[in-house]
Amino acid sequence: MATFVLVHGMYAGGWYWQKVRPLLQAANHDVFTPTLTGLGERVHLARPDTDLDAHIEDIVNVLVYEDLRNVVLVGHSYGGMVIRGVAEREPERLARLAYLDGFVPDDGDRVLDYRHPAFQPDCVERAGAHDGWRIPTLDAADEDPEFVAWEAGRTVPHPLATFQQPIRLSNHDADRLPSVYIHCTNKPDGDAFARFASVARNDANWTYIAFDCVHDAMAVKPVELTRLLLTLV
């Protein structure tokens, strides 16, 4: 039996894994799907100073207070920033890092440094037009209607400070953790994560997995994604 901790991405919450969680549990694994501060059912806790460190602390506290060990820590999209920060703090609790179409930061990186037209218009300008400190959700009109209906009313604006804060990395024990990159390759409008996938694909220290799916794999292909995650145990 393994322990999975699944970290969601921008705008979402622990609910984003609700199609995958029971499938992993049915395979007799422990599964935790925490929600980051200011998102999902914790949206009421959002503040202008909710930053990347706060989200890293969210997941560190799950590991510590649940006393989790030998964890497969999965980060989707923005969640890649979070899981790398968690590895910096608690590498001894982790068995593996898995980036699901996620950012893989170097020391000093900010999400705002990863500019790509497929990922975002200008987040600072969008936040300024909203309330000054949260990035409003994007229009999903061009997405699959079933997917749009599934997430309707549950995605929320994302705290801008989490994108502005540089991550600080210096723990070499974290660098030595086995790492996997699951690259969602079906993105006809552009791939904001191709740069990270390319590094993983060409680095013998990484395991690279190409997955024929759109970015939000846990919602669109939960069965297939679960099969991939089970290979990491």
Side-chain angles (χ1 to χ4, degrees):
M1 184 175 69
T3 298
F4 286 89
V5 176
L6 310 178
V7 181
H8 63 83
M10 184 181 186
Y11 305 134
W15 61 269
Y16 222 62
W17 299 98
Q18 66 182 206
K19 296 182 180 182
V20 169
R21 181 174 59 236
L23 299 176
L24 289 172
Q25 291 171 330
N28 295 318
H29 300 299
D30 285 337
V31 185
F32 294 80
T33 56
T35 293
L36 302 173
T37 297
L39 299 165
E41 76 276 10
R42 305 181 70 209
V43 64
H44 61 291
L45 300 177
R47 296 172 23 154
D49 61 353
T50 301
D51 58 11
L52 177 60
D53 279 346
H55 285 174
I56 292 169
E57 188 78 12
D58 286 333
I59 307 305
V60 166
N61 284 344
V62 172
L63 301 182
V64 171
Y65 284 94
E66 295 287 352
D67 194 21
L68 303 182
R69 309 258 174 197
N70 202 33
V71 170
V72 178
L73 184 60
V74 182
H76 175 244
S77 195
Y78 161 75
M81 299 289 291
V82 177
I83 68 170
R84 182 57 186 84
V86 173
E88 181 76 6
R89 296 262 310 266
E90 297 287 339
E92 70 282 354
R93 292 182 179 273
L94 305 178
R96 188 179 303 272
L97 295 176
Y99 296 83
L100 173 58
D101 231 26
F103 298 121
V104 184
D106 293 319
D107 180 49
D109 281 1
R110 308 177 307 156
V111 176
L112 288 181
D113 296 329
Y114 305 140
R115 306 302 293 277
H116 189 287
F119 165 58
Q120 59 184 18
D122 192 293
C123 288
V124 176
E125 289 184 6
R126 290 173 54 219
H130 179 61
D131 58 13
W133 59 275
R134 289 185 299 175
I135 308 163
T137 58
L138 291 169
D139 183 5
D142 294 332
E143 297 278 1
D144 176 81
E146 184 177 347
F147 170 71
V148 173
W150 177 77
E151 70 168 14
R154 292 190 289 179
T155 55
V156 299
H158 190 96
L160 176 63
T162 66
F163 279 30
Q164 294 173 314
Q165 183 183 23
I167 193 168
R168 295 303 176 192
L169 306 174
S170 60
N171 189 338
H172 296 301
D173 287 339
D175 293 332
R176 288 188 281 268
L177 284 168
S179 296
V180 177
Y181 201 93
I182 302 173
H183 183 205
C184 298
T185 58
N186 187 0
K187 304 195 193 82
D189 296 327
D191 190 349
F193 301 91
R195 59 181 289 187
F196 309 106
S198 178
V199 170
R201 186 170 55 245
N202 294 291
D203 188 333
N205 294 317
W206 280 76
T207 298
Y208 171 81
I209 301 172
F211 185 29
D212 182 16
C213 188
V214 298
H215 180 62
D216 296 293
M218 70 287 293
V220 178
K221 289 189 175 181
V223 174
E224 295 86 345
L225 177 59
T226 299
R227 289 176 185 150
L228 281 182
L229 294 178
L230 289 174
T231 69
L232 307 184
V233 176

